Amino acid sequence: MRVLGIETSCDETGVAVYDSQQGLLAHSLYSQVELHSEYGGVVPELASRDHVRKLLPLIDEVMAAAGTQSQDIDGIAYTSGPGLIGALMVGACAGRSLAYAWGCKALGVHHMEGHLLAPMLEANPPAFPFVALLVSGGHTQLVRVDGIGRYRMLGESLDDAAGEAFDKAAKMLDLDYPGGPQIAKLAEQGEPGRFRFPRPMTDRPGLDFSFSGLKTFTLNTVAEHKLESGLPDDQCCADIAYAFEDAVVATLVIKCRRALEQEGLKTLVIAGGVSANKRLRAELESKLAKIDAGVYYARHEFCTDNGAMIAYAGCQRLLAGQEQELALKVQPRWDLESLPDISADGPS
């Protein structure tokens, strides 16, 4: 089966062609970061308009790169949630309309399932069951995964997601959007040990997350050390960035290890934009090796939103017989555990 994947849930337009026999044939991504950076975050209306401008040319580009004509496409998978409703509507309208015109199947895909399955695109994919850490601007979740559609939520953020916390901390330090890469870059110049930020909710049982208190602690630290310019000096900013990143990473690592031990599993998958953080990957590999557990993640270009993960996830569900009705349906909020179990059919 050959599937065209479309991702438009937020501020990146992603398109890919995936073949169940040949693998990923082509993919391309257009990022709106420059468009939104002057506002310090995503402006939903601007995001939707930019998807409208970029999506069809990107589809033409990827189809040509994959050497694929419309008659070669067996199905179209598009992100139908969760995400920004306007952005989701752009991809859903385009995907469902093309499927109708081309006489092929269509299917709306859960955005976080796409992230969760992105490591399956690698040469050495993880085997079920495993624990997945889904960590991005909008989500921080620990999920037990026993197969495609067999998901059980173990813990999630009660307020700010980790990626959102990175963005807000970056804004406090007058860094550009998105905040994660900017904090990580500045933290490389930081002095370990000057500040120690709290590791939220690690001193109590459970696998839920909370980063709002860490955000407040960061704001107070910046205020305590600011100069007349309104910010601390450059070295102090770097030290704060180091301490903030260290606290987020330590919190995630503690909860991941706790989840693996609770579930009696030895495999962790990390996915989502924050999974590209180098310190997080290094700390997970180091700490989990002590309990003989392995870590899997997607290549860097598939950590953030992309069409390849949607094409892959959609292909698995289309092969299992799922198909979208003609009426459009997008879900800005969508429970991952509500997805149908297709694990008996096996991935391809």
Side-chain angles (χ1 to χ4, degrees):
M1 173 173 281
R2 187 165 293 188
V3 175
L4 174 69
I6 297 172
E7 156 60 24
T8 62
S9 65
C10 190
D11 61 342
E12 279 144 338
T13 312
V15 178
V17 174
Y18 178 83
D19 188 282
S20 58
Q21 299 299 316
Q22 301 176 50
L24 186 63
L25 301 181
H27 68 96
S28 188
L29 181 74
Y30 173 77
S31 174
Q32 300 177 2
V33 165
E34 187 175 341
L35 173 66
H36 299 289
S37 60
E38 65 177 296
Y39 304 101
V42 178
V43 181
E45 180 62 26
L46 295 181
S48 302
R49 292 177 183 178
D50 218 36
H51 286 309
V52 171
R53 285 193 290 265
K54 301 296 183 181
L55 181 54
L56 291 181
L58 209 59
I59 290 173
D60 288 340
E61 174 191 321
V62 171
M63 292 279 284
T68 298
Q69 303 296 320
S70 59
Q71 59 267 27
D72 302 322
I73 295 294
D74 301 300
I76 298 178
Y78 53 87
T79 304
S80 58
L84 302 174
I85 189 166
L88 291 169
M89 284 297 296
V90 175
C93 287
R96 196 64 195 80
S97 298
L98 286 175
Y100 183 79
W102 294 351
C104 63
K105 297 178 180 180
L107 184 68
V109 172
H110 193 293
H111 178 74
M112 297 312 294
E113 182 174 59
H115 275 304
L116 188 153
L117 297 177
M120 299 297 184
L121 291 163
E122 303 306 315
N124 181 33
F128 301 117
F130 55 78
V131 170
L133 171 66
L134 304 178
V135 57
S136 65
H139 299 82
T140 304
Q141 300 172 327
L142 279 166
V143 184
R144 180 183 171 113
V145 181
D146 288 294
I148 300 179
R150 294 180 63 190
Y151 309 130
R152 178 163 56 86
M153 194 67 62
L154 302 175
E156 58 188 329
S157 180
L158 303 179
D159 39 61
D160 290 354
E164 185 180 5
F166 268 111
D167 288 339
K168 291 180 178 178
K171 194 169 185 178
M172 295 173 199
L173 295 171
D174 198 28
L175 301 175
D176 291 337
Y177 171 85
Q182 300 298 326
I183 289 281
K185 183 178 180 180
L186 183 59
E188 293 176 358
Q189 306 167 37
E191 178 184 336
R194 179 177 177 184
F195 299 109
R196 190 184 190 281
F197 286 11
R199 277 68 171 145
M201 297 184 70
T202 57
D203 59 348
R204 67 191 73 175
L207 296 170
D208 287 330
F209 301 90
S210 172
F211 292 105
S212 62
L214 179 59
K215 178 188 65 178
T216 302
F217 193 95
T218 305
L219 181 64
N220 291 339
T221 304
V222 170
E224 288 170 8
H225 294 83
K226 69 180 180 181
L227 305 175
E228 291 183 3
S229 62
L231 283 173
D233 61 50
D234 291 346
Q235 185 58 53
C236 187
C237 285
D239 296 342
I240 290 171
Y242 182 96
F244 176 83
E245 183 186 44
D246 189 53
V248 173
V249 167
T251 300
L252 294 173
V253 170
I254 290 168
K255 293 297 179 102
C256 286
R257 176 169 177 165
R258 188 179 294 177
L260 288 169
E261 292 175 337
Q262 172 185 298
E263 298 301 308
L265 297 176
K266 294 293 185 181
T267 302
L268 177 76
V269 166
I270 56 170
V274 181
S275 71
N277 183 280
K278 293 179 181 178
R279 192 189 300 186
L280 176 59
R281 292 190 177 198
E283 285 296 305
L284 280 171
E285 290 177 0
S286 172
K287 296 295 190 297
L288 297 187
K290 296 178 180 179
I291 60 170
D292 195 30
V295 184
Y296 291 80
Y297 35 74
R299 72 194 77 167
H300 190 275
E301 61 190 320
F302 294 156
C303 290
T304 55
D305 297 348
N306 63 87
M309 67 182 192
I310 301 303
Y312 177 84
C315 184
Q316 307 315 308
R317 291 192 170 274
L318 287 165
L319 284 170
Q322 284 191 242
E323 187 175 353
Q324 197 76 37
E325 58 191 23
L326 190 58
L328 283 178
K329 181 181 180 181
V330 295
Q331 302 181 68
R333 296 182 181 275
W334 191 359
D335 183 3
L336 185 65
E337 292 176 299
S338 70
L339 296 178
D341 176 5
I342 63 164
S343 57
D345 301 88
S348 301

